[in-house]
Structures are given as C-alpha cells and as structure tokens.
Amino acid sequence: MSLSRTVHAVCSLDCPDSCGVLVTVETAANGVERAVKLQGDPAHPVTRGFLCGKVTRFLDRVYAPDRLLFPMRRRPGFAKRPLAHGHETEAFERISWEEALEEIAARLATIAREHGPESILPYSYAGTIGQLGYGSMDRRFFHRLGASQLDRTICASAGGVALSSVYGTKLGTPPQDFAHAGLIVAWGANIHGNNIHLWPFIEEARRQGARLVVIDPYRTRTAALADEHLAIHPGTDGLLALAMMHVLFREGLADREYLAACTHGADELCTHALRPEHSPEQAAGVTGIDAETIVRLARAYGEAARSSRPAVIRLNYGVQRSEGGGTAVRAIAMLPLITGSWKRRGGGLQLSTSGAFPFNAQALQMPELMQKSQLGRPARVVNMSLLGQALTELDANAEGANEPPVKALFVYNSNPAAIAPNQNAVLTGLRRADLFTVVHDQFFTDTADYADLLLPAPTFLETKDMQGAYGHLFAQLSHQAIAPLGEARSNTSLFRGLAQAMGFEEPCFNDTDDELIDAALATDHPWFAGITRERLEREGHVPLSLPADADRQVLPFATPEWFGTASGKAELLPLPSFVAPVESRAHADEAYPLEFLPRKADHFMNSTFSNQGTHQRMESATAGTLEMHAEDAAARGVAHKDEVEVFNARGSITLRASLNAKVGRGVVAARLDWSKLNGDLSGHQANVNALTSERLTDMGGGPTFYSTLVEVRRIQPRDTSQPISRGCRPGGQ
Ligand SMILES: Nc1nc2c(c(=O)[nH]1)N[C@H]1C(S)=C(S)[C@@H](COP(=O)(O)OP(=O)(O)OC[C@H]3O[C@@H](n4cnc5c(=O)[nH]c(N)nc54)[C@H](O)[C@@H]3O)O[C@H]1N2
Ligand SMILES: Nc1nc2c(c(=O)[nH]1)N[C@H]1C(S)=C(S)[C@@H](COP(=O)(O)OP(=O)(O)OC[C@H]3O[C@@H](n4cnc5c(=O)[nH]c(N)nc54)[C@H](O)[C@@H]3O)O[C@H]1N2
Ligand code: SF4
Ligand SMILES: [Mo]
C-alpha cells in the first residue's frame, strides 16, 4: 500500500505563465517518496487546470537517468572540450560535497588574493525564477566576496528599459482581461508556443467576435491559428509602429483628451509620426507589409479603442532581440497611449507584469555587503551578453572593462555555452586551462563539459520557493514536494555552504529559506498588503492588491496615478526613430544575404529539455532543421532534407534543410538547443548561437539574436541513409 498526498508547487521555468502545479506524491511502504503526477492547479485563475506540453512531461526530467546527482571533479589530465552526450562521466569523478565546497572556497580565495575578487564572475540567469533560487543567498555571497557583478541582460533588458522609459514601470494588461478585447495583436509574441495560458482568454474573446492579428516574420503556431498573419521583415517593427501612428493621427483616431491627461510629448510625437518617411507607403517597402494592410490595421486598432471591446497588444520579447529592439518596443508601447486604449477593460498592452511585484530585492540580495569585501566599494559590472568578450579579451580595453581578466566563472541557473551569443568566443574562453569554472546544474549541459567542478541542482519539485510572474498578477508559494534527488542542493543551500567554507561570519549567511521569503516580503508597499508567507503557504496563490476602480476593475494606466516616470505621465520623448539593423536585409551583402532567426523551440525552454527524448520527439519536426523558403533553397541547389551548412564570419552549424512556408524569402530559421546534440561527422559541435553576434541592442545592453545575417550551402551528401545525430553519439573528440 502506498500513501498519496497532493502538494502545491509553482512551475519555476522562465515562462510568463508561472503556473500553479499540483504534485501527487506517493510514499511507498519502505518510506520512499516519489512524485507520480503533475497537474495544473484548477483553482489558479490563469493556470486553469492545465500545464503546457513541456511540463506535463516534467517527471521525465526529474527522474531522468542522466541527471547530475553528485558533486564531481574533472579527472586529472582531461582537457576541457565538448563531450558526447551520455559520456560525460568519463571526464569527471565523484567527490563529496565537503570536498567540493572546500576546493571551491580555496580556489576562489586564492584567485581573489592574486587577481582581485573582481576576477571572479558569477554567471546565472533564469533556470529558476523563484525569488530564492533566482537571486538571494547567491547574490549575498558574491557581494560579500567582491566578485564582479553580472548585468543580467540576456533576455529582456532592451524591452524592459524601453517599457520603463515610457511608463516608468513594467506593468500591463492582466491576462484575464484579454477575454474582453475586440482586437488582439500578437506582436513578436508566440503565444501558443511560449505563453499558452493566455490562449484561452484570447479564444474567449474570439468567440465574442474578436480578431487576432499576428506580427511575426515566422509563421508560428500562433500565426497559423490567427485571423491574419503579417510576416514582417525582422527588425523593422519600429517603423511599422510609426506608420500606424501616422494613420492614427492623420485620420483623427488619436484620443486627444487621454493624451493631454496622461502623456508628455504628444504634440511632438504627432508631428514626428506625420512625417513622410513614416507614411504607410514608405514603411511598406521596409517592413514587407503593404500600405493598404498597414492602413487597415491602424484603422481597426484606432476604431476598436472607441468601441466597447478595445484593442490589446500582446507584445513579447521577440521584438527586442534585434539591434533597434529598444526603440521598437518604445514605439509599439506608445500605440495604446495614442488611442487611449488603456481606459477600458480588455485594452492596453502587455509586455511584462513583473513590475507589479514589490519584492524587497535589497533585503534579499544585500548589495551593501560589497562594502565589506576586499574591495570596499561596489564591484565592476560585466554584461552577460558579452561573455565571449569577457572570457577572451583579456587585456584591458580602453574603458578598462576587462581589468582584471576573468579567472573564475561560477555558472548556475544557466547554460551559457548554448544560450549566449557568439558561441565560438564563449567556447574559446571556456576552454582556457587557466579559467576555474564551477557549474551547478541538473544535467551535464554544454557548459558542464568545460567545468572543473560540477555540482548537482534540484528541480522545482525539490525545493521551497516563492514566485511572482511576468505574465500575471498572483504571488505564489511553491512547497517542496519531494526530497532533493541524489545529493542535489538548492541554490540557497549551496551558497550558504560556500559562505561558511569561505569563513564569512555575517549572520545573514545563516538565514533559512523561510527567513529569506520573509525578507523578500518585508515591504509596506500597498500592492503586497496582506500577503505574508503564512498566507501564501495556506492559499498557494494570492492576487496582488492593485488599485481598482469603483467597479473593482484593475485598469492599469487608465489614469495618471499609474505612471512611474519623473513627469508622472507616459513619456513619449525622446521620439522613437527607426534605424535599420546593420545585420538585416537593408545592409546585407552577397557574402551573407539571409536573415537568420535562431528561435526558441515550442517544446524546449531555451536550451532546457533539449536533451530529453520525450521533448525531442515532440519537437522532431523542427529540431535540427533549417527552415528555408523554397526559392532561397532552389537558388542554392538545396532540396528538402538536404544537409546544409549555415555560416557567417563568426561560425557555422550543420542542419537539415526543411523547405516549408513558415518563413518568407530571405529569411531562414532554426532552433536553440544543446550543441552536443548537433555534432557533424567531423566532430564539430555547434548550435544556432555559433552564428549570433555580441552586438548589443540600442537600449539596455541586450543581445541581438534576431539581427543575424548568414549564408547557406548544401553539403555534398555523404551517406543519405545516415540521419544527422540527435542523441547519444560519440563526437567532439
Ligand atoms: N516553449 C517555450 N516557451 C518559452 C520559452 C522557450 O524557449 N520555449 N522561453 C521563455 C523565455 S526565456 C522568454 S523570454 C519568453 C519569450 O517569449 P517571446 O517573446 O514570445 O520569445 P521569442 O520566441 O524569442 O519571440 C517571439 C516571436 O518573435 C518573433 N520575432 C523574431 N524577430 C522578430 C522581429 O523582428 N519582429 C517581430 N515582430 N517578431 C520577431 C519570433 O519569430 C518569435 O516567434 O518565452 C518563454 N517561454
Ligand atoms: N539563439 C538564441 N539564444 C537565446 C535565446 C533565443 O531565443 N535564441 N533566448 C535568450 C533568452 S530570452 C534567455 S532567457 C536565455 C536563457 O538562458 P538560460 O537561463 O541559461 O536558459 P536555459 O538554457 O534554460 O538554462 C537554464 C539552466 O538552469 C538549470 N537549472 C534549472 N533550475 C536550476 C536550479 O534551481 N539551480 C541551478 N543551479 N540550475 C538550475 C537548468 O537545468 C538549465 O540547464 O537564452 C537566451 N539565448
Ligand atoms: S513552462 Fe510555463 S506554461 Fe509550462 S507549466 Fe511552466 S509556467 Fe506553465
Ligand atoms: Mo528569456
């Protein structure tokens, strides 16, 4: 007989939906506990009882036979190089946690003494977005050490800075309110693939007659299900938004009253938008969307704001992963201000709702500890999107940014060998014998191949945490459902242990997870009123106390109180101006004429899941393929399923051509995954980021994955019965 109980957890993957998850845990007669079922919490108003395909099969990940379960050390004499998936343990030997912590502490202390603590670089992103796992004890530890600070720009900084520059905060339309819209524009947003819990609300709106328009250079699942798909040329969204403004102002569709009450710079914006270069006719050639369509879209958008069912934009981060991405987000974010679409339920725009959660980051991360470090001052800041440079350009540059050179890299919550741009530079850096690298992860990732020490991390079922969301407005608590597998230790437990091994005596390094949760909630901000750990533990999810109107509706930006800018109004200045990306068709030459979209997979989470059989099967139609337009393929003598090399001056990757109509002429697309699944016959291992650059966005210092030019050539078939390896195959040696 086994006993069964249900535990409330929260999916901590880097996804806007932050689902409430009910975990069924069975206890066998011998006392061993096992999670046997995951289910979306039916009581959560956004999760509504279902999980995405990826996490429905999450137990395959938790109990995967190839999980990293023990601390390991590189065997003496084993050079840092890519390892065949499934063969990683040949390079590493198991050690105890005690040995691991002692060795790390000793190495970090020596490096800090010899090169200064800033030569130590933490590298983390969003393996978990729980408040504790994402950034708490780890930050305290690195602050106290005086390590370089990491500017976490890899995902959303261009869009985040852009949105905040207009609104003064990162906040938007609650997902449930999409059900009340009459027109929904998914702008650089693959809702069906990346944000599935918004979909039911869109379907509800469509049943009431709403239209869904998708603006995306790729025909996503979302685009295929929409009423209209506008296949915009990559990186030209800023101009499309300006052309829409042109029509709105020209045709009297602007809400003058709202603009006067809630914005600053409206007259200047009107004059700017009406300039001839922003006319639909001028924009058509650049964006690839014809003038009549732009006019029709702008009219529908403007007229909806005057009807009972307004227009809403789901803007997502796809738009800001290009050179002019910040300006594009600013321009798009101004559209609902021009039409006053915020005034009605179902209107407005959502890019992120993360700014609605007033967690006390200061108390959680304690930046003041830097003063107690060997430095006695705040440490230098390294942009995570420039990791290749940071690890390879070891001489001080003009700004002195690479001084001191990075001598130790501490990776957790991230797989930079796969996800960072300009992969060849990153790997060149990771191969350095003089770089001391620690990797804390659940699996032997691409980055793990280069580690000196490997540490096992838990999944979200194995830890307790608290979470906000960037796609809804509920604070949540995730209970620990099962004990950590093997010797996995959570991020907080790891850094607590390391602080002790380093001899840090501040009491803050003894804080328990519950004390950390309490610290994050220690605020008198009214939006957290009544939200305590005890209440979260009891209720699982609690809505934020956002200001509501007389009808108890939360209408962000309907009135001036919502704006967090210095002027207290939406800031339309400086005016957004369109500049075509350097790496785009506007500047393409014969060498690299194709625009490349190195995309996220619908069934992976960035590089997470790409090593797992169940997820590979779900993604089998696109994983390992280069999607091309038939005419681009024909011009290169490429046929469907041919092996092709995709290349530019930074690198190359071998994929199999797929000639479908998901991309227009001049655009090719492939999926982000682990490099070691993509070895070609010569042992060269790469993924899409072998082609991307370290050029940064116009705002926020973000990466420009979607501004990448490439060329494609057919590889002479070797043996056509031989598929490109997608799983365990010795390679890379
Ligand atoms: N299934 C799945 N879900 C995920 C993730 C995942 O990897 N897989 N990742 C998570 C993460 S980290 C994030 S940040 C969110 C991000 O979610 P999204 O912002 O939706 O992220 P992307 O898929 O990068 O971009 C969305 C769409 O933008 C399109 N796009 C690319 N360039 C342009 C352009 O120049 N203009 C326009 N209009 N569109 C463009 C892409 O083709 C893509 O379909 O999703 C999260 N959810
Ligand atoms: N070409 C291209 N590159 C991209 C993108 C793209 O669309 N195209 N997207 C970019 C974006 S938006 C993002 S957000 C980044 C994502 O970059 P990352 O945040 O690095 O994302 P993942 O590849 O999912 O790697 C997360 C790792 O954290 C581990 N992990 C999970 N939970 C824990 C934990 O509790 N502790 C520890 N120590 N580890 C844990 C997982 O096992 C996984 O290996 O990638 C960026 N790179
Ligand atoms: S990845 Fe996103 S959609 Fe899937 S379960 Fe997690 S939060 Fe929900
Ligand atoms: Mo992201």
Side-chain angles (χ1 to χ4, degrees), residues 52-61 612 614-615 618:
C52 66
K54 306 178 282 299
V55 173
T56 300
R57 289 147 184 98
F58 195 75
L59 292 176
D60 290 354
R61 182 174 180 84
Q612 290 177 235
T614 30
H615 293 76
M618 290 193 278

Side-chain angles (χ1 to χ4, degrees), residues 14 125 154-156 321 470 600 606:
D14 186 2
Y125 200 62
I154 200 80
C155 169
R321 305 192 207 294
Y470 60 98
K600 298 174 190 302
N606 300 306

